[in-house]
Amino acid sequence: MNKESLYDYILTIADNCLILGQRLGELCGHGPSLETDIAGTNISLDLIGQTRSFYQYAADIEGKGKTEDDIAFLRLEKDYKNCLLVEQPNDHFGYVIGRQYLWDTFYLLFLNELQNSSDETLSAIAKKGIKEVSYHRRFSGDWVKRLGDGSEESHLKMQEVVNGLWPYVDELFDMTGVSKELIKQGIAVDLSKLRETYFKQVSALLEEATLEVPERKYFVYGGKKGVHSEYFGYLLSDLQYMQRTYPNMTW
Amino acid sequence: MSEKEIKNLEEIFEARIARDEKIEPKDWMPEKYRKTHIRQISQHAHSEIVGMLPEGNWITRAPSLRRKAALLAKVQDEAGHGLYLYSACETLGISREEMYEQLHTGKAKYSSIFNYPTLTWADMGAIGWLVDGAAIINQVPLCNTSYGPYARAMIRVCKEESFHQRQGFESLLTLCKGTPDQKNMAQDALNRWWWPSLMMFGPTDDESTHTEQSMKWKLKRKTNDELRQQFVDQTVPQAEILGITIPDPDLKWNEERGHYDFGKINWDEFWQVVKGHGPCNKQRIKDRVSAWEKGAWVRDAAIAYAEKQEKRNQEERKAS
Ligand SMILES: [Fe+2]
Ligand SMILES: [Fe+2]
Ligand SMILES: [Fe+2]
């Protein structure tokens, strides 16, 4: 097994958890209700927890004495491999929910496969994650329905959200950073196999939410190659602020 | 009811409290008891949720993943405290919307400590150590208060607050054992949070109103000054372990009293902040109001959706 490609592979998963967890962390205390605030914080907390498990494992594999925090905080922008979807800003609660649902649906399908990985650590992290992410997906899916099939205003807003985020969904299945070798060894998940189920599940829920499913063209890719959005640098400046300002300290 | 009958009910009521029985939502209670409890419990609930803001301010900038997770968990706990306390208060016949309205219009107060800014990472440790620490001293006696739902909420809240307090202390200890920059950060945080923490116990006893009634209803067991003294006595040795200096030149052990003597609190500052002119009062309320207003369409959508669902269910029931 090639250590480097496994290390890279773990980052292509975990960076999504970190960045989405970070985005959700911006919202604490500013949501539409106490209950949604608690749920948002809880999802963020789960994602940061998963990030830690993945990064600890990645640091182990690399074997250069790095810590989870070195990986989380001390990389250059182009070295983060999360997809564009999860870094999209919290424009309003509809975007938060839409982004969450589009991610959760993918991530749950993904973890369901990853639990069968021949890599025991990845399989164990996936098993634990499935419980958490099933809850996340129920929460976000229920809210997509409420907002889509709620008031006239919320319906319009939610349709706009779905249209706005749709260009980013196909990148979820982009195989950048996933080596064929790892798939052959049964370590990595073949993302292309998840695509059809994903679009089926998402379309069904959007229909239930009385929302139109956007056409499947004009997708945007980049995050997995390290080419991020303009929003991303700002997110990193918050994320990295302490570690950059006070290097080499214990917190 | 005649005046005499009410008087009689009141006597029975007071006797129940004296016997340490809990008053429950459906029980008869004097109007004043209800009003006082609504004021205190809602104020407490508001403090929990306004308190999420200064700490939430550092979630995105936490220096390590472990600390980020711990801070998220802490702020989530505070939101949970808000939730139980609002629910406890609702049992007294006031709605959550009414309580929010009172907070947003400045009619209801919240703990003034949250009107101070969180300027560095060390403030997260200082808040846990001092603010949660002071809150525990204020709240432990409330675990035995007379109103059942409030007492039960407090038992759960206090357990979590003492966890926050230990966690805050541990986070500061890490800074104090770290580099000079880190230790300075901890000292600076103590300098800014010490006096406002002492103010959390409220005005001195001779200026404090309605204490006697509160004692009878077990909303209070000790006076403000007694609680403040307890806080100082408990905290000074902890600051010594940290190796940082409490910013009070008059602080010294008084052998005769068996307590620490401490300097004079700046009551002008206390009243200024209570009256809405602290460093962050406007910002905190603005944030709460803005969250509420921006969330209106979401809450409306949820209601509209629930109504549609209800209708669908009814139609289904009719059809079957
Ligand atoms: Fe609390
Ligand atoms: Fe509290
Ligand atoms: Fe607390």
Side-chain angles (χ1 to χ4, degrees):
Chain A
M1 176 193 64
N2 182 339
K3 271 187 177 188
E4 211 170 301
S5 60
L6 182 54
Y7 176 85
D8 287 345
Y9 179 58
I10 298 172
L11 298 199
T12 66
I13 308 168
D15 286 354
N16 293 298
C17 303
L18 173 69
I19 300 306
L20 187 53
Q22 174 77 1
R23 269 286 182 244
L24 291 169
E26 294 169 11
L27 291 166
C28 209
H30 303 279
S33 71
L34 202 43
E35 287 78 358
T36 56
D37 260 358
I38 292 176
T41 317
N42 184 41
I43 295 173
S44 174
L45 190 55
D46 287 342
L47 289 171
I48 297 296
Q50 293 170 18
T51 307
R52 294 186 64 195
S53 307
F54 281 124
Y55 285 171
Q56 281 162 12
Y57 184 43
D60 252 17
I61 296 216
E62 201 195 27
K64 290 183 187 161
K66 268 194 214 156
T67 65
E68 58 180 70
D69 290 330
D70 296 329
I71 301 176
F73 296 102
L74 295 172
R75 277 181 287 159
L76 299 177
E77 175 165 345
K78 67 176 180 46
D79 297 327
Y80 286 85
K81 305 298 185 189
N82 59 281
C83 57
L84 294 170
L85 175 68
V86 295
E87 70 193 55
Q88 297 306 306
N90 300 320
D91 281 346
H92 61 58
F93 186 72
Y95 280 95
V96 175
I97 287 301
R99 183 184 63 205
Q100 196 63 42
Y101 175 70
L102 293 172
W103 167 254
D104 291 341
T105 304
F106 164 78
Y107 193 37
L108 189 58
L109 289 172
F110 172 80
L111 291 177
N112 267 322
E113 290 300 315
L114 190 68
Q115 69 175 332
N116 302 321
S117 170
S118 58
D119 183 299
E120 277 174 26
T121 310
L122 289 182
S123 160
I125 300 174
K127 279 191 184 125
K128 182 166 178 281
I130 286 169
K131 277 190 213 135
E132 296 170 345
V133 178
S134 315
Y135 161 77
H136 304 169
R137 198 183 95 118
R138 196 169 339 122
F139 173 81
S140 60
D142 283 350
W143 270 105
V144 171
K145 287 191 258 173
R146 277 189 202 108
L147 297 176
D149 191 20
S151 69
E152 217 170 298
E153 183 190 5
S154 73
H155 176 80
L156 289 174
K157 275 200 154 100
M158 207 54 211
Q159 186 66 59
E160 199 182 289
V161 165
V162 171
N163 298 344
L165 294 177
W166 199 252
Y168 304 112
V169 294
D170 203 58
E171 191 187 14
L172 297 168
F173 308 96
D174 183 284
M175 296 290 273
T176 307
V178 189
S179 80
K180 291 213 172 76
E181 198 58 29
L182 288 180
I183 295 180
K184 226 190 275 163
Q185 291 165 338
I187 294 174
V189 175
D190 184 350
L191 298 175
S192 61
K193 286 194 183 147
L194 307 178
R195 192 188 255 117
E196 210 188 303
T197 317
Y198 178 82
F199 282 104
K200 221 187 258 166
Q201 290 186 351
V202 169
S203 302
L205 187 112
L206 292 182
E207 269 163 37
E208 204 189 330
T210 71
L211 294 164
E212 246 170 72
V213 182
E215 269 186 73
R216 273 204 223 182
K217 44 180 179 180
Y218 306 128
F219 288 118
V220 183
Y221 309 84
K224 288 189 176 180
K225 295 189 178 71
V227 182
H228 292 278
S229 60
E230 288 185 352
Y231 308 115
F232 196 58
Y234 295 94
L235 180 146
L236 285 190
S237 27
D238 275 357
L239 179 72
Q240 299 185 336
Y241 166 64
M242 289 297 289
Q243 289 274 347
R244 296 284 187 206
T245 314
Y246 302 94
N248 302 316
M249 297 183 198
T250 303
W251 302 96
Chain B
M1 239 182 290
S2 76
E3 229 168 88
K4 200 174 156 200
E5 281 169 315
I6 290 181
K7 191 107 207 250
N8 203 6
L9 280 172
E10 269 176 25
E11 269 163 28
I12 297 170
F13 178 83
E14 299 291 348
R16 287 186 61 197
I17 293 181
R19 283 197 303 272
D20 253 340
E21 279 174 37
K22 292 278 175 270
I23 305 302
E24 296 300 332
K26 290 204 173 90
D27 296 345
W28 182 89
M29 61 185 80
E31 214 28 49
K32 197 168 166 218
Y33 181 92
R34 183 186 302 277
K35 286 220 171 90
T36 305
H37 278 77
I38 287 179
R39 193 179 58 229
Q40 172 155 341
I41 301 171
S42 68
Q43 184 172 323
H44 194 162
H46 297 326
S47 303
E48 302 286 352
I49 60 157
V50 176
M52 292 167 71
L53 297 170
E55 291 189 281
N57 186 37
W58 277 88
I59 289 173
T60 60
R61 292 176 294 170
S64 71
L65 291 179
R66 181 169 82 89
R67 294 292 180 197
K68 195 190 284 291
L71 184 58
L72 277 163
K74 184 187 185 222
V75 178
Q76 193 188 7
D77 285 348
E78 305 303 0
H81 300 170
L83 207 56
Y84 328 137
L85 286 162
Y86 282 126
S87 306
C89 204
E90 280 166 344
T91 63
L92 290 161
I94 182 169
S95 69
R96 191 122 52 106
E97 282 69 25
E98 284 172 89
M99 289 186 258
Y100 282 153
E101 173 74 22
Q102 292 176 351
L103 173 68
H104 296 162
T105 54
K107 226 184 111 195
K109 298 264 178 267
Y110 55 89
S111 179
S112 264
I113 193 79
F114 299 121
N115 292 314
Y116 290 86
T118 52
L119 304 178
T120 72
W121 171 251
D123 290 11
M124 296 304 100
I127 288 182
W129 176 40
L130 300 171
V131 176
D132 286 84
I136 295 165
I137 289 182
N138 269 327
Q139 289 167 20
V140 163
L142 292 173
C143 296
N144 286 314
T145 193
S146 62
Y147 190 55
Y150 193 28
R152 289 188 289 272
M154 278 300 102
I155 291 170
R156 200 161 160 191
V157 167
C158 279
K159 261 188 220 148
E160 291 177 350
E161 302 295 16
S162 54
F163 177 72
H164 298 162
Q165 201 257 350
R166 285 197 302 277
Q167 184 175 264
F169 180 80
E170 185 268 330
S171 159
L172 278 184
L173 190 59
T174 307
L175 298 184
C176 291
K177 288 202 271 191
T179 65
D181 275 344
Q182 285 174 300
K183 193 163 182 184
N184 287 339
M185 198 191 280
Q187 179 65 59
D188 164 70
L190 175 59
N191 294 348
R192 284 179 290 108
W193 291 95
W194 175 253
W195 291 105
S197 301
L198 293 193
M199 294 176 198
M200 282 177 70
F201 299 93
T204 52
D205 293 347
D206 40 309
E207 284 199 43
S208 173
T209 45
H210 42 249
T211 297
E212 200 185 317
Q213 178 79 85
S214 300
M215 294 265 183
K216 238 183 10 198
W217 288 341
K218 299 175 182 168
L219 275 170
K220 239 177 190 326
R221 301 228 137 159
K222 291 181 185 171
T223 70
N224 293 352
D225 286 333
E226 284 167 343
L227 294 169
R228 188 165 14 245
Q229 183 70 60
Q230 187 184 335
F231 177 74
V232 172
D233 292 348
Q234 167 189 307
T235 310
V236 173
Q238 295 170 353
E240 279 163 11
I241 297 172
L242 293 173
I244 46 182
T245 312
I246 289 176
D248 178 358
D250 298 322
L251 185 77
K252 61 167 186 295
W253 178 251
N254 182 326
E255 194 63 59
E256 212 171 295
R257 291 203 306 125
H259 289 294
Y260 283 94
D261 288 338
F262 53 94
K264 199 174 163 318
I265 289 169
N266 181 348
W267 293 111
D268 291 340
E269 176 183 323
F270 172 81
W271 289 114
Q272 178 174 331
V273 182
V274 168
K275 285 180 181 149
H277 310 290
C280 300
N281 298 60
K282 304 229 159 49
Q283 179 187 342
R284 299 287 184 247
I285 291 299
K286 195 185 97 201
D287 282 353
R288 284 314 313 164
V289 171
S290 135
W292 185 247
E293 285 173 355
K294 280 189 198 148
W297 71 274
V298 174
R299 298 188 303 273
D300 290 347
I303 294 168
Y305 179 77
E307 282 168 1
K308 284 187 197 173
Q309 285 293 85
E310 179 55 35
K311 223 175 175 181
R312 277 174 214 147
N313 288 344
Q314 269 173 11
E315 272 158 27
E316 235 169 73
R317 255 173 280 159
K318 243 184 251 162
S320 67

